[in-house]
């Protein structure tokens, strides 16, 4: 069990507090925010201490800082925490700049501290079942594949959508971590990327909230088409967009020498996984409802924190697994090296859009080990 101090009491904090109910080694004791109001509200609701950022960093009872601030603040907050001698687990992305994230990893190493990073959705039943099928050779060698994340943009429901459309925001940095982490988990590290991006309109309209009807500036490509070549020679094509009203494509498909797989949503933990071996044959639906981290646990949700009714969301397992690794003095799966490689893919795609040429990645990482049911069971609360 480790004591957690949370910095950044926004939308996603609620989901992390819920992780205490699922996992047996997470204990929130304090929270802080740039503004005192959200920290006080959060502390009251979860019966923990409200502190300033300085206070939480200096608190001797806090073992790990959970960094749930906005992407643009991740580097600054994680750096302060590591300098204060705290282990860190951060929301995605690790930072908005590759070189800054590299600094964090270095700092953690020098200070002998653990650095963990979201997303942890690849530890879910859906992606882990996919991994098992691939490792067992069910579809042969994976040659190609594709994925899509596309919707109209957060201005549809968010009163302050600006940061998603400014430098440091955009569809690749926002949603890329889920897809790229899942792909590295399934295929191993990547080698190079190519990409084409487009900023279709320099202004967007606020659609909800007090600024409704007014317009804000768009600074980034809102649609990006890309491909990634992995070290194992697999080529994956991706499309990430804030310019699509609706679509009916699968989240991710992988094509092997002996069949094809439809991978469930990398932003969530559930299934099913679809499998087919022959052209025109019926897809076999493989449920993950009997897996610890695949079972549907969200039945009627308000829609906050990316959840729709009937989903599996076990965010926090990455933190729980890191705590367990700290206690057993071994490497954790949602580690900084993986997150740095994913950020390298993201930044290289943005560079490839600008340069209009293939970009070689600077980093590599280990493919995470499969996450076995018996390992997960040890982290679950029994009640
Ligand atoms: N909301 C989601 O559904 C969701 C899902 C998955 C991941 N995430 C990730 O989680 C992170 C937080 O997202 P969110 O939706 O909760 O954002 P949010 O804007 O609702 O909350 C962020 C909080 O961090 C605080 N903050 C900002 N800069 C700070 C600083 N320098 N020091 C201390 N506090 C600071 C803000 O005041 C705010 O309360 C992001 O990295 C996001 O990508 C969000």
């Amino acid at each position: 069990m480790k004591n957690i101090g949370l910095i950044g009491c926004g939308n996603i904090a609620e989901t992390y507090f819920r992780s205490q109910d699922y996992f047996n080694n997470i204990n929130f004791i304090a929270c802080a925010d740039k503004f005192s109001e959200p920290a006080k509200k959060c502390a009251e609701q979860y019966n923990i201490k409200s502190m300033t950022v300085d206070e939480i960093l200096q608190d001797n009872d806090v073992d790990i800082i959970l960094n749930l601030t906005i992407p643009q603040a991740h580097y600054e907050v994680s750096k302060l925490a590591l300098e204060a001698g705290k282990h860190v687990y951060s929301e995605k992305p690790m930072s908005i700049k590759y070189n800054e994230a590299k600094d964090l990893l270095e700092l953690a190493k020098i200070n002998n501290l653990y650095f963990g990073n979201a997303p942890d959705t690849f530890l879910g039943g859906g992606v882990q079942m996919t991994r098992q099928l691939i490792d067992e050779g069910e579809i042969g060698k994976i040659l190609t594949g594709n994925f899509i994340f596309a919707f109209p943009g957060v201005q549809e429901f968010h009163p302050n959508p600006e940061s998603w459309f400014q430098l440091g925001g955009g569809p690749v940095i926002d949603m890329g971590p889920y897809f790229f982490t899942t792909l590295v988990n399934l295929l191993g590290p990547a080698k190079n990327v190519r990409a084409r991006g487009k900023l279709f309109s320099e202004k967007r309209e606020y659609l909800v909230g007090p600024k409704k009807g007014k317009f804000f500036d768009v600074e980034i490509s809102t649609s990006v088409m890309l491909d990634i070549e992995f070290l194992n020679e697999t080529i994956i094509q991706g499309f990430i967009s804030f310019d699509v009203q609706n679509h009916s494509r699968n989240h991710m498909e992988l094509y092997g020498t002996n069949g094809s797989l439809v991978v469930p949503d990398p932003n969530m933990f559930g299934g099913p996984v679809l499998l087919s071996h022959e052209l025109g044959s019926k897809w076999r639906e493989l449920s993950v409802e009997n897996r610890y981290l695949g079972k549907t646990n969200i039945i009627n949700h308000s829609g906050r924190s990316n959840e729709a009714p009937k989903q599996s969301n076990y965010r926090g397992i990455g933190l729980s697994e890191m705590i367990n690794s700290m206690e057993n003095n071994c490497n954790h799966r949602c580690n900084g090296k993986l997150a740095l490689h994913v950020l390298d893919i993201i930044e290289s795609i943005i560079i490839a859009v600008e340069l209009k040429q293939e970009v070689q990645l600077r980093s590599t990482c280990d493919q995470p080990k499969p996450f076995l049911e018996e390992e997960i069971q040890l982290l679950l609360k029994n009640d």
Side-chain angles (χ1 to χ4, degrees), residues 150-158 161 165 204 207 241-244:
F151 82 133
V154 294
Q155 76 286 347
E156 296 273 320
F157 57 85
H158 204 299
F165 297 89
R204 240 174 226 232
L207 295 178
S241 174
F242 291 169
D243 294 306
V244 172

Side-chain angles (χ1 to χ4, degrees), residues 7-13 15-16 32-35 38 53 67-71 73-74 76-77 91-93 118 158 164 173-174 178 267 304-307 315:
I7 305 184
C9 305
N11 248 311
I12 196 69
T15 309
Y16 276 90
D33 195 282
K34 191 162 120 181
F35 302 108
V53 171
N67 182 356
L68 303 186
T69 60
I70 55 169
H74 284 177
E76 172 201 333
V77 170
E91 249 304 333
K92 53 85 187 166
H158 204 299
W164 274 266
I173 207 155
D174 186 41
Y178 296 111
N267 189 13
R304 282 184 71 189
S305 305
N306 281 346
E307 289 172 355
R315 279 179 165 77

Side-chain angles (χ1 to χ4, degrees), residues 111-255:
N111 292 350
N112 209 13
L113 295 164
Y114 274 72
F115 187 97
N117 214 97
D120 53 6
T121 45
F122 74 94
L123 300 178
V127 177
Q128 287 297 317
M129 174 176 279
T130 311
R131 172 71 184 272
Q132 190 185 334
L133 292 165
I134 293 171
D135 288 356
E136 287 169 356
E138 189 66 44
I139 64 164
K141 177 173 165 41
I142 298 172
L143 304 178
T144 58
N146 54 54
F147 72 83
I148 180 170
F149 174 84
F151 82 133
V154 294
Q155 76 286 347
E156 296 273 320
F157 57 85
H158 204 299
N160 301 308
E162 301 87 348
S163 67
W164 274 266
F165 297 89
Q166 291 163 349
L167 296 176
V172 180
I173 207 155
D174 186 41
M175 293 309 291
Y178 296 111
F179 290 88
F180 305 144
T181 309
T182 289
L183 284 166
V184 172
N185 175 59
L186 296 176
L187 302 168
K191 195 155 67 171
N192 59 57
V193 300
R194 298 181 188 187
R196 174 194 288 264
K198 190 88 174 166
L199 190 168
F200 286 106
S201 166
E202 284 175 1
K203 298 269 174 205
R204 240 174 226 232
E205 193 176 349
Y206 293 98
L207 295 178
V208 295
K211 292 173 269 185
K212 187 174 172 187
K214 294 188 176 150
F215 287 80
F216 60 93
D217 293 334
V218 177
E219 296 172 358
I220 45 86
S221 296
T222 47
S223 285
V224 177
M225 289 165 173
L226 59 104
D227 64 65
I228 308 172
E229 184 178 5
F230 288 80
L231 268 181
N232 72 356
E233 311 262 287
T234 306
I235 303 169
I236 302 287
Q237 188 185 49
F239 174 48
I240 313 194
S241 174
F242 291 169
D243 294 306
V244 172
Q245 299 310 312
N246 200 6
H247 70 85
S248 62
R249 300 260 312 276
N250 286 314
H251 298 286
M252 185 183 282
E253 299 197 352
L254 298 175
Y255 312 122

